[in-house]
């Protein structure tokens, strides 16, 4: 539907290596034929579902394909241009800096290369404002989390405002938030914004309660926060009182099997509460989707009018980590585009 494609959009939850399109995967496979990786190993097609565990296996395959500076530059550039072509006007990309001994890639050059891709797209005139969140993979524990935050702090000061925050992600069945709290607190104290994956699986009530005390600036998924699915009213109250926006990724949650079907997605719960929610893709490559499609799915599943969808996309502007001036610019852009769609 052309309305959803033309709708100006804000994407706030996109993991770089989960966002790699089929075309870019083809290019990576042809660079590394000896790995014997096939396309079916890097994406979850229409109607397919996997366990969360199997999804994390997919990321391991993609990481094998993306292990040099050249790969990262190509992947990040392609991903940014694809989001722009889908009508995304503001994008926050997140990625876990990786070190690869075989290719000489370091965590520092990893971040530098993503920043280079953002600058390159800007120079080439792409109609999209892109910022970067440095991701902490929870499986790697306290020390690596601190190291990652130190890098993020360094780049926050040297990247011309491109590095705006820190993400906490990775396999939710591994590790505990209490071990990562000092690093996250340090990031917050230094002015980095925090977007944390919270209650992605049912067994994380204590961890969510602890991490909400920071508090984070945004929540990723929050699938099991509310009491109807085994969460608690006190967790919901904290999120509501602190007005912490929630990033919601419908297809990701359905294909990753943490939500039984689209109509049971927790979008409904938070939307009906009037709480700030932001529709996002999570991993557009792995889950074979794009942001237009996610908005359309939310609208068709929950009966949202075009006006309501417009309001959702516009309210996402308030949730960005970029500076106030960027919010104003985006508001103007939305106001300019409104008459073309209605
Ligand atoms: P990268 O950080 O390498 O650019 O993107 C892939 C990584 O993002 C994965 O290895 C994982 O740490 C994180 N990730 C992607 N999708 C999800 C998700 O749905 N849940 C969680 N917890 N982490 C994810």
């Amino acid at each position: 539907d052309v309305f959803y494609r033309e709708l100006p959009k804000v994407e706030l939850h996109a993991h770089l290596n989960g966002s790699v399109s089929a075309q870019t995967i083809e290019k990576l496979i042809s660079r590394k034929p000896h790995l014997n990786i096939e396309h079916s190993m890097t994406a979850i097609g229409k109607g397919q579902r996997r366990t969360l565990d199997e999804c994390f296996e997919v990321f391991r395959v993609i990481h094998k394909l993306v292990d040099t500076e050249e790969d990262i530059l190509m992947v990040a550039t392609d991903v940014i241009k694809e989001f722009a072509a889908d009508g995304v006007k503001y994008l926050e990309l997140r990625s876990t800096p990786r070190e690869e001994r075989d290719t000489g890639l370091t965590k520092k050059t990893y971040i530098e290369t993503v920043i280079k891709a953002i600058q390159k797209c800007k120079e080439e005139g792409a109609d999209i404002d892109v910022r970067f969140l440095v991701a902490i993979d929870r499986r790697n524990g306290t020390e690596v989390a601190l190291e990652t935050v130190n890098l993020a702090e360094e780049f926050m000061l040297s990247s011309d405002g491109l590095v705006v925050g820190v993400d906490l992600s990775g396999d939710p069945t591994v590790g505990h938030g209490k071990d990562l709290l000092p690093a996250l607190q340090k990031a917050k104290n230094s002015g980095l914004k925090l977007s944390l994956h919270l209650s992605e699986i049912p067994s994380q009530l204590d961890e969510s309660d602890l991490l909400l005390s920071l508090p984070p600036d945004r929540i990723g998924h929050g699938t099991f926060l509310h009491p109807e699915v085994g969460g608690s009213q006190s967790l919901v109250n904290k999120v509501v009182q602190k007005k912490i926006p929630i990033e919601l990724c419908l297809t990701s949650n359905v294909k990753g099997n943490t939500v039984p079907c689209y109509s049971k997605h927790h979008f409904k719960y938070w939307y009906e509460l009037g709480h700030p929610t932001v529709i996002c893709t999570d991993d557009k490559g792995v889950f074979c989707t794009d942001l237009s499609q996610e908005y359309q799915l939310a609208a068709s599943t929950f009966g949202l009018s075009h006006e309501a969808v417009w309001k959702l996309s516009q309210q996402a502007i308030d949730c960005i980590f970029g500076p106030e001036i960027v919010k104003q610019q985006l508001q103007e852009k939305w106001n300019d585009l409104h008459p073309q769609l209605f």
Side-chain angles (χ1 to χ4, degrees), residues 17 63 65-73 95-114:
N17 285 297
H63 285 161
L65 283 171
V66 184
D67 68 348
T68 68
E69 278 177 46
E70 289 88 335
D71 297 336
I72 294 163
L73 187 67
S95 193
T96 325
R98 244 181 314 131
E99 180 178 84
E100 296 284 352
R101 295 241 165 76
D102 294 346
T103 67
L105 185 70
T106 67
K107 292 184 180 182
K108 197 164 174 163
T109 54
Y110 188 106
I111 300 176
E112 279 167 359
T113 309
V114 176

PDB file of all heavy atoms in Angstrom, residues 17 63 65-73 95-114:
ATOM      1  N   ASN A  17      23.461  -5.900  11.823  1.00  0.00           N
ATOM      2  CA  ASN A  17      23.663  -7.181  11.134  1.00  0.00           C
ATOM      3  C   ASN A  17      22.380  -8.010  10.987  1.00  0.00           C
ATOM      4  O   ASN A  17      22.377  -9.003  10.256  1.00  0.00           O
ATOM      5  CB  ASN A  17      24.759  -7.999  11.819  1.00  0.00           C
ATOM      6  CG  ASN A  17      26.131  -7.437  11.504  1.00  0.00           C
ATOM      7  OD1 ASN A  17      26.547  -7.415  10.355  1.00  0.00           O
ATOM      8  ND2 ASN A  17      26.810  -6.917  12.522  1.00  0.00           N
ATOM      9  N   HIS A  63      27.420 -12.984  11.059  1.00  0.00           N
ATOM     10  CA  HIS A  63      28.702 -12.453  11.556  1.00  0.00           C
ATOM     11  C   HIS A  63      29.897 -13.053  10.810  1.00  0.00           C
ATOM     12  O   HIS A  63      30.912 -12.385  10.625  1.00  0.00           O
ATOM     13  CB  HIS A  63      28.835 -12.689  13.064  1.00  0.00           C
ATOM     14  CG  HIS A  63      27.985 -11.754  13.866  1.00  0.00           C
ATOM     15  ND1 HIS A  63      27.627 -12.000  15.174  1.00  0.00           N
ATOM     16  CD2 HIS A  63      27.420 -10.563  13.554  1.00  0.00           C
ATOM     17  CE1 HIS A  63      26.886 -10.994  15.626  1.00  0.00           C
ATOM     18  NE2 HIS A  63      26.740 -10.121  14.667  1.00  0.00           N
ATOM     19  N   LEU A  65      29.886 -13.755   7.706  1.00  0.00           N
ATOM     20  CA  LEU A  65      29.913 -13.080   6.400  1.00  0.00           C
ATOM     21  C   LEU A  65      30.376 -11.629   6.494  1.00  0.00           C
ATOM     22  O   LEU A  65      30.797 -11.036   5.506  1.00  0.00           O
ATOM     23  CB  LEU A  65      28.512 -13.096   5.765  1.00  0.00           C
ATOM     24  CG  LEU A  65      28.036 -14.399   5.122  1.00  0.00           C
ATOM     25  CD1 LEU A  65      26.564 -14.277   4.761  1.00  0.00           C
ATOM     26  CD2 LEU A  65      28.868 -14.741   3.891  1.00  0.00           C
ATOM     27  N   VAL A  66      30.247 -11.052   7.688  1.00  0.00           N
ATOM     28  CA  VAL A  66      30.565  -9.630   7.883  1.00  0.00           C
ATOM     29  C   VAL A  66      31.714  -9.541   8.877  1.00  0.00           C
ATOM     30  O   VAL A  66      31.494  -9.449  10.083  1.00  0.00           O
ATOM     31  CB  VAL A  66      29.331  -8.854   8.416  1.00  0.00           C
ATOM     32  CG1 VAL A  66      29.639  -7.362   8.522  1.00  0.00           C
ATOM     33  CG2 VAL A  66      28.108  -9.076   7.531  1.00  0.00           C
ATOM     34  N   ASP A  67      32.953  -9.604   8.392  1.00  0.00           N
ATOM     35  CA  ASP A  67      34.061  -9.620   9.352  1.00  0.00           C
ATOM     36  C   ASP A  67      35.255  -8.749   8.962  1.00  0.00           C
ATOM     37  O   ASP A  67      36.319  -8.858   9.554  1.00  0.00           O
ATOM     38  CB  ASP A  67      34.498 -11.071   9.642  1.00  0.00           C
ATOM     39  CG  ASP A  67      35.158 -11.738   8.441  1.00  0.00           C
ATOM     40  OD1 ASP A  67      35.083 -11.172   7.331  1.00  0.00           O
ATOM     41  OD2 ASP A  67      35.759 -12.811   8.615  1.00  0.00           O
ATOM     42  N   THR A  68      35.056  -7.885   7.952  1.00  0.00           N
ATOM     43  CA  THR A  68      36.129  -6.938   7.607  1.00  0.00           C
ATOM     44  C   THR A  68      35.556  -5.512   7.593  1.00  0.00           C
ATOM     45  O   THR A  68      34.337  -5.330   7.553  1.00  0.00           O
ATOM     46  CB  THR A  68      36.706  -7.206   6.200  1.00  0.00           C
ATOM     47  OG1 THR A  68      35.683  -6.892   5.230  1.00  0.00           O
ATOM     48  CG2 THR A  68      37.136  -8.654   6.023  1.00  0.00           C
ATOM     49  N   GLU A  69      36.459  -4.528   7.576  1.00  0.00           N
ATOM     50  CA  GLU A  69      36.001  -3.136   7.473  1.00  0.00           C
ATOM     51  C   GLU A  69      35.196  -2.913   6.199  1.00  0.00           C
ATOM     52  O   GLU A  69      34.182  -2.212   6.202  1.00  0.00           O
ATOM     53  CB  GLU A  69      37.212  -2.193   7.462  1.00  0.00           C
ATOM     54  CG  GLU A  69      37.739  -1.899   8.849  1.00  0.00           C
ATOM     55  CD  GLU A  69      38.986  -1.026   8.810  1.00  0.00           C
ATOM     56  OE1 GLU A  69      38.995  -0.022   8.073  1.00  0.00           O
ATOM     57  OE2 GLU A  69      39.961  -1.368   9.502  1.00  0.00           O
ATOM     58  N   GLU A  70      35.663  -3.520   5.097  1.00  0.00           N
ATOM     59  CA  GLU A  70      34.962  -3.368   3.809  1.00  0.00           C
ATOM     60  C   GLU A  70      33.535  -3.903   3.905  1.00  0.00           C
ATOM     61  O   GLU A  70      32.596  -3.293   3.386  1.00  0.00           O
ATOM     62  CB  GLU A  70      35.689  -4.130   2.684  1.00  0.00           C
ATOM     63  CG  GLU A  70      37.003  -3.539   2.243  1.00  0.00           C
ATOM     64  CD  GLU A  70      38.182  -4.054   3.086  1.00  0.00           C
ATOM     65  OE1 GLU A  70      37.968  -4.467   4.259  1.00  0.00           O
ATOM     66  OE2 GLU A  70      39.310  -4.040   2.586  1.00  0.00           O
ATOM     67  N   ASP A  71      33.390  -5.064   4.551  1.00  0.00           N
ATOM     68  CA  ASP A  71      32.048  -5.650   4.710  1.00  0.00           C
ATOM     69  C   ASP A  71      31.143  -4.706   5.498  1.00  0.00           C
ATOM     70  O   ASP A  71      29.998  -4.458   5.118  1.00  0.00           O
ATOM     71  CB  ASP A  71      32.116  -6.989   5.483  1.00  0.00           C
ATOM     72  CG  ASP A  71      32.902  -8.057   4.754  1.00  0.00           C
ATOM     73  OD1 ASP A  71      33.019  -7.970   3.512  1.00  0.00           O
ATOM     74  OD2 ASP A  71      33.401  -8.994   5.427  1.00  0.00           O
ATOM     75  N   ILE A  72      31.679  -4.194   6.610  1.00  0.00           N
ATOM     76  CA  ILE A  72      30.850  -3.347   7.478  1.00  0.00           C
ATOM     77  C   ILE A  72      30.454  -2.071   6.756  1.00  0.00           C
ATOM     78  O   ILE A  72      29.305  -1.631   6.825  1.00  0.00           O
ATOM     79  CB  ILE A  72      31.591  -3.028   8.793  1.00  0.00           C
ATOM     80  CG1 ILE A  72      31.771  -4.318   9.586  1.00  0.00           C
ATOM     81  CG2 ILE A  72      30.842  -2.008   9.630  1.00  0.00           C
ATOM     82  CD1 ILE A  72      32.806  -4.236  10.666  1.00  0.00           C
ATOM     83  N   LEU A  73      31.411  -1.512   6.007  1.00  0.00           N
ATOM     84  CA  LEU A  73      31.103  -0.285   5.257  1.00  0.00           C
ATOM     85  C   LEU A  73      29.986  -0.550   4.251  1.00  0.00           C
ATOM     86  O   LEU A  73      29.030   0.227   4.150  1.00  0.00           O
ATOM     87  CB  LEU A  73      32.367   0.232   4.543  1.00  0.00           C
ATOM     88  CG  LEU A  73      32.212   1.595   3.879  1.00  0.00           C
ATOM     89  CD1 LEU A  73      32.023   2.691   4.923  1.00  0.00           C
ATOM     90  CD2 LEU A  73      33.427   1.925   3.002  1.00  0.00           C
ATOM     91  N   SER A  95      24.626  -1.502  16.842  1.00  0.00           N
ATOM     92  CA  SER A  95      25.444  -2.652  16.482  1.00  0.00           C
ATOM     93  C   SER A  95      26.480  -2.923  17.564  1.00  0.00           C
ATOM     94  O   SER A  95      26.948  -2.007  18.236  1.00  0.00           O
ATOM     95  CB  SER A  95      26.139  -2.410  15.144  1.00  0.00           C
ATOM     96  OG  SER A  95      26.682  -3.616  14.651  1.00  0.00           O
ATOM     97  N   THR A  96      26.820  -4.204  17.700  1.00  0.00           N
ATOM     98  CA  THR A  96      27.787  -4.641  18.706  1.00  0.00           C
ATOM     99  C   THR A  96      29.182  -4.604  18.105  1.00  0.00           C
ATOM    100  O   THR A  96      29.457  -5.366  17.169  1.00  0.00           O
ATOM    101  CB  THR A  96      27.494  -6.111  19.113  1.00  0.00           C
ATOM    102  OG1 THR A  96      26.084  -6.333  19.096  1.00  0.00           O
ATOM    103  CG2 THR A  96      28.071  -6.430  20.470  1.00  0.00           C
ATOM    104  N   PRO A  97      30.071  -3.721  18.594  1.00  0.00           N
ATOM    105  CA  PRO A  97      31.429  -3.701  18.047  1.00  0.00           C
ATOM    106  C   PRO A  97      32.112  -5.047  18.266  1.00  0.00           C
ATOM    107  O   PRO A  97      32.029  -5.617  19.352  1.00  0.00           O
ATOM    108  CB  PRO A  97      32.124  -2.580  18.827  1.00  0.00           C
ATOM    109  CG  PRO A  97      31.220  -2.191  19.942  1.00  0.00           C
ATOM    110  CD  PRO A  97      29.861  -2.725  19.645  1.00  0.00           C
ATOM    111  N   ARG A  98      32.711  -5.570  17.190  1.00  0.00           N
ATOM    112  CA  ARG A  98      33.317  -6.902  17.218  1.00  0.00           C
ATOM    113  C   ARG A  98      34.774  -6.809  16.847  1.00  0.00           C
ATOM    114  O   ARG A  98      35.170  -5.997  16.021  1.00  0.00           O
ATOM    115  CB  ARG A  98      32.617  -7.795  16.192  1.00  0.00           C
ATOM    116  CG  ARG A  98      31.882  -8.974  16.774  1.00  0.00           C
ATOM    117  CD  ARG A  98      31.238  -9.811  15.688  1.00  0.00           C
ATOM    118  NE  ARG A  98      30.526  -9.050  14.695  1.00  0.00           N
ATOM    119  CZ  ARG A  98      30.681  -9.228  13.381  1.00  0.00           C
ATOM    120  NH1 ARG A  98      31.537 -10.122  12.920  1.00  0.00           N
ATOM    121  NH2 ARG A  98      29.995  -8.496  12.528  1.00  0.00           N
ATOM    122  N   GLU A  99      35.553  -7.712  17.461  1.00  0.00           N
ATOM    123  CA  GLU A  99      36.963  -7.799  17.142  1.00  0.00           C
ATOM    124  C   GLU A  99      37.114  -9.100  16.360  1.00  0.00           C
ATOM    125  O   GLU A  99      36.520 -10.105  16.741  1.00  0.00           O
ATOM    126  CB  GLU A  99      37.677  -7.903  18.480  1.00  0.00           C
ATOM    127  CG  GLU A  99      39.147  -8.003  18.485  1.00  0.00           C
ATOM    128  CD  GLU A  99      39.599  -8.043  19.947  1.00  0.00           C
ATOM    129  OE1 GLU A  99      39.589  -9.150  20.533  1.00  0.00           O
ATOM    130  OE2 GLU A  99      39.913  -6.987  20.508  1.00  0.00           O
ATOM    131  N   GLU A 100      37.846  -9.073  15.232  1.00  0.00           N
ATOM    132  CA  GLU A 100      38.072 -10.299  14.449  1.00  0.00           C
ATOM    133  C   GLU A 100      39.575 -10.453  14.233  1.00  0.00           C
ATOM    134  O   GLU A 100      40.164  -9.723  13.438  1.00  0.00           O
ATOM    135  CB  GLU A 100      37.337 -10.232  13.100  1.00  0.00           C
ATOM    136  CG  GLU A 100      35.817 -10.178  13.186  1.00  0.00           C
ATOM    137  CD  GLU A 100      35.173 -11.515  13.518  1.00  0.00           C
ATOM    138  OE1 GLU A 100      35.887 -12.552  13.549  1.00  0.00           O
ATOM    139  OE2 GLU A 100      33.948 -11.519  13.765  1.00  0.00           O
ATOM    140  N   ARG A 101      40.164 -11.388  14.956  1.00  0.00           N
ATOM    141  CA  ARG A 101      41.629 -11.556  14.883  1.00  0.00           C
ATOM    142  C   ARG A 101      42.105 -11.815  13.453  1.00  0.00           C
ATOM    143  O   ARG A 101      43.092 -11.264  13.009  1.00  0.00           O
ATOM    144  CB  ARG A 101      42.069 -12.728  15.771  1.00  0.00           C
ATOM    145  CG  ARG A 101      41.806 -12.473  17.233  1.00  0.00           C
ATOM    146  CD  ARG A 101      43.075 -12.468  18.081  1.00  0.00           C
ATOM    147  NE  ARG A 101      42.772 -11.861  19.373  1.00  0.00           N
ATOM    148  CZ  ARG A 101      42.110 -12.490  20.354  1.00  0.00           C
ATOM    149  NH1 ARG A 101      41.707 -13.737  20.193  1.00  0.00           N
ATOM    150  NH2 ARG A 101      41.855 -11.881  21.485  1.00  0.00           N
ATOM    151  N   ASP A 102      41.354 -12.655  12.703  1.00  0.00           N
ATOM    152  CA  ASP A 102      41.792 -13.069  11.364  1.00  0.00           C
ATOM    153  C   ASP A 102      41.893 -11.908  10.383  1.00  0.00           C
ATOM    154  O   ASP A 102      42.684 -11.944   9.449  1.00  0.00           O
ATOM    155  CB  ASP A 102      40.817 -14.103  10.769  1.00  0.00           C
ATOM    156  CG  ASP A 102      40.850 -15.400  11.566  1.00  0.00           C
ATOM    157  OD1 ASP A 102      41.792 -15.568  12.369  1.00  0.00           O
ATOM    158  OD2 ASP A 102      39.932 -16.219  11.389  1.00  0.00           O
ATOM    159  N   THR A 103      41.055 -10.914  10.561  1.00  0.00           N
ATOM    160  CA  THR A 103      41.038  -9.824   9.579  1.00  0.00           C
ATOM    161  C   THR A 103      41.618  -8.524  10.138  1.00  0.00           C
ATOM    162  O   THR A 103      41.705  -7.522   9.432  1.00  0.00           O
ATOM    163  CB  THR A 103      39.598  -9.532   9.107  1.00  0.00           C
ATOM    164  OG1 THR A 103      38.857  -8.994  10.225  1.00  0.00           O
ATOM    165  CG2 THR A 103      38.910 -10.779   8.592  1.00  0.00           C
ATOM    166  N   GLY A 104      41.967  -8.520  11.417  1.00  0.00           N
ATOM    167  CA  GLY A 104      42.540  -7.313  12.015  1.00  0.00           C
ATOM    168  C   GLY A 104      41.499  -6.286  12.437  1.00  0.00           C
ATOM    169  O   GLY A 104      41.835  -5.176  12.847  1.00  0.00           O
ATOM    170  N   LEU A 105      40.217  -6.667  12.324  1.00  0.00           N
ATOM    171  CA  LEU A 105      39.152  -5.754  12.748  1.00  0.00           C
ATOM    172  C   LEU A 105      39.221  -5.559  14.267  1.00  0.00           C
ATOM    173  O   LEU A 105      39.369  -6.529  15.009  1.00  0.00           O
ATOM    174  CB  LEU A 105      37.791  -6.361  12.365  1.00  0.00           C
ATOM    175  CG  LEU A 105      36.555  -5.510  12.611  1.00  0.00           C
ATOM    176  CD1 LEU A 105      36.509  -4.329  11.651  1.00  0.00           C
ATOM    177  CD2 LEU A 105      35.287  -6.351  12.463  1.00  0.00           C
ATOM    178  N   THR A 106      39.150  -4.309  14.707  1.00  0.00           N
ATOM    179  CA  THR A 106      39.083  -4.051  16.149  1.00  0.00           C
ATOM    180  C   THR A 106      37.739  -3.389  16.469  1.00  0.00           C
ATOM    181  O   THR A 106      37.048  -2.912  15.563  1.00  0.00           O
ATOM    182  CB  THR A 106      40.204  -3.095  16.605  1.00  0.00           C
ATOM    183  OG1 THR A 106      39.957  -1.802  16.014  1.00  0.00           O
ATOM    184  CG2 THR A 106      41.585  -3.600  16.188  1.00  0.00           C
ATOM    185  N   LYS A 107      37.408  -3.363  17.752  1.00  0.00           N
ATOM    186  CA  LYS A 107      36.130  -2.743  18.135  1.00  0.00           C
ATOM    187  C   LYS A 107      36.105  -1.267  17.746  1.00  0.00           C
ATOM    188  O   LYS A 107      35.085  -0.720  17.355  1.00  0.00           O
ATOM    189  CB  LYS A 107      35.902  -2.908  19.632  1.00  0.00           C
ATOM    190  CG  LYS A 107      35.669  -4.370  19.987  1.00  0.00           C
ATOM    191  CD  LYS A 107      35.346  -4.585  21.433  1.00  0.00           C
ATOM    192  CE  LYS A 107      35.150  -6.086  21.650  1.00  0.00           C
ATOM    193  NZ  LYS A 107      34.776  -6.415  23.019  1.00  0.00           N
ATOM    194  N   LYS A 108      37.273  -0.649  17.853  1.00  0.00           N
ATOM    195  CA  LYS A 108      37.361   0.767  17.524  1.00  0.00           C
ATOM    196  C   LYS A 108      37.165   0.997  16.023  1.00  0.00           C
ATOM    197  O   LYS A 108      36.388   1.875  15.619  1.00  0.00           O
ATOM    198  CB  LYS A 108      38.735   1.281  17.973  1.00  0.00           C
ATOM    199  CG  LYS A 108      38.787   2.756  18.059  1.00  0.00           C
ATOM    200  CD  LYS A 108      39.985   3.189  18.869  1.00  0.00           C
ATOM    201  CE  LYS A 108      40.065   4.698  18.798  1.00  0.00           C
ATOM    202  NZ  LYS A 108      40.918   5.242  19.830  1.00  0.00           N
ATOM    203  N   THR A 109      37.866   0.204  15.182  1.00  0.00           N
ATOM    204  CA  THR A 109      37.689   0.402  13.732  1.00  0.00           C
ATOM    205  C   THR A 109      36.271  -0.004  13.317  1.00  0.00           C
ATOM    206  O   THR A 109      35.724   0.537  12.353  1.00  0.00           O
ATOM    207  CB  THR A 109      38.743  -0.369  12.895  1.00  0.00           C
ATOM    208  OG1 THR A 109      38.737  -1.745  13.270  1.00  0.00           O
ATOM    209  CG2 THR A 109      40.126   0.203  13.088  1.00  0.00           C
ATOM    210  N   TYR A 110      35.683  -0.933  14.037  1.00  0.00           N
ATOM    211  CA  TYR A 110      34.288  -1.322  13.765  1.00  0.00           C
ATOM    212  C   TYR A 110      33.380  -0.087  13.878  1.00  0.00           C
ATOM    213  O   TYR A 110      32.630   0.235  12.951  1.00  0.00           O
ATOM    214  CB  TYR A 110      33.865  -2.403  14.764  1.00  0.00           C
ATOM    215  CG  TYR A 110      32.523  -3.041  14.490  1.00  0.00           C
ATOM    216  CD1 TYR A 110      32.444  -4.338  13.979  1.00  0.00           C
ATOM    217  CD2 TYR A 110      31.328  -2.363  14.742  1.00  0.00           C
ATOM    218  CE1 TYR A 110      31.215  -4.938  13.724  1.00  0.00           C
ATOM    219  CE2 TYR A 110      30.100  -2.944  14.488  1.00  0.00           C
ATOM    220  CZ  TYR A 110      30.041  -4.234  13.986  1.00  0.00           C
ATOM    221  OH  TYR A 110      28.827  -4.814  13.730  1.00  0.00           O
ATOM    222  N   ILE A 111      33.498   0.607  15.013  1.00  0.00           N
ATOM    223  CA  ILE A 111      32.640   1.794  15.222  1.00  0.00           C
ATOM    224  C   ILE A 111      32.992   2.885  14.214  1.00  0.00           C
ATOM    225  O   ILE A 111      32.100   3.517  13.628  1.00  0.00           O
ATOM    226  CB  ILE A 111      32.779   2.322  16.670  1.00  0.00           C
ATOM    227  CG1 ILE A 111      32.362   1.234  17.667  1.00  0.00           C
ATOM    228  CG2 ILE A 111      31.952   3.587  16.880  1.00  0.00           C
ATOM    229  CD1 ILE A 111      32.557   1.617  19.129  1.00  0.00           C
ATOM    230  N   GLU A 112      34.295   3.085  13.996  1.00  0.00           N
ATOM    231  CA  GLU A 112      34.710   4.108  13.024  1.00  0.00           C
ATOM    232  C   GLU A 112      34.113   3.846  11.645  1.00  0.00           C
ATOM    233  O   GLU A 112      33.729   4.779  10.938  1.00  0.00           O
ATOM    234  CB  GLU A 112      36.243   4.124  12.904  1.00  0.00           C
ATOM    235  CG  GLU A 112      36.915   4.908  14.005  1.00  0.00           C
ATOM    236  CD  GLU A 112      38.433   4.654  14.075  1.00  0.00           C
ATOM    237  OE1 GLU A 112      38.940   3.839  13.263  1.00  0.00           O
ATOM    238  OE2 GLU A 112      39.077   5.259  14.937  1.00  0.00           O
ATOM    239  N   THR A 113      34.046   2.563  11.274  1.00  0.00           N
ATOM    240  CA  THR A 113      33.545   2.218   9.941  1.00  0.00           C
ATOM    241  C   THR A 113      32.041   2.478   9.821  1.00  0.00           C
ATOM    242  O   THR A 113      31.572   2.960   8.790  1.00  0.00           O
ATOM    243  CB  THR A 113      33.878   0.744   9.619  1.00  0.00           C
ATOM    244  OG1 THR A 113      35.269   0.529   9.867  1.00  0.00           O
ATOM    245  CG2 THR A 113      33.572   0.416   8.183  1.00  0.00           C
ATOM    246  N   VAL A 114      31.294   2.175  10.874  1.00  0.00           N
ATOM    247  CA  VAL A 114      29.860   2.486  10.839  1.00  0.00           C
ATOM    248  C   VAL A 114      29.665   3.999  10.703  1.00  0.00           C
ATOM    249  O   VAL A 114      28.840   4.473   9.906  1.00  0.00           O
ATOM    250  CB  VAL A 114      29.133   1.950  12.100  1.00  0.00           C
ATOM    251  CG1 VAL A 114      27.662   2.365  12.088  1.00  0.00           C
ATOM    252  CG2 VAL A 114      29.247   0.431  12.203  1.00  0.00           C
TER     253      VAL A 114
END
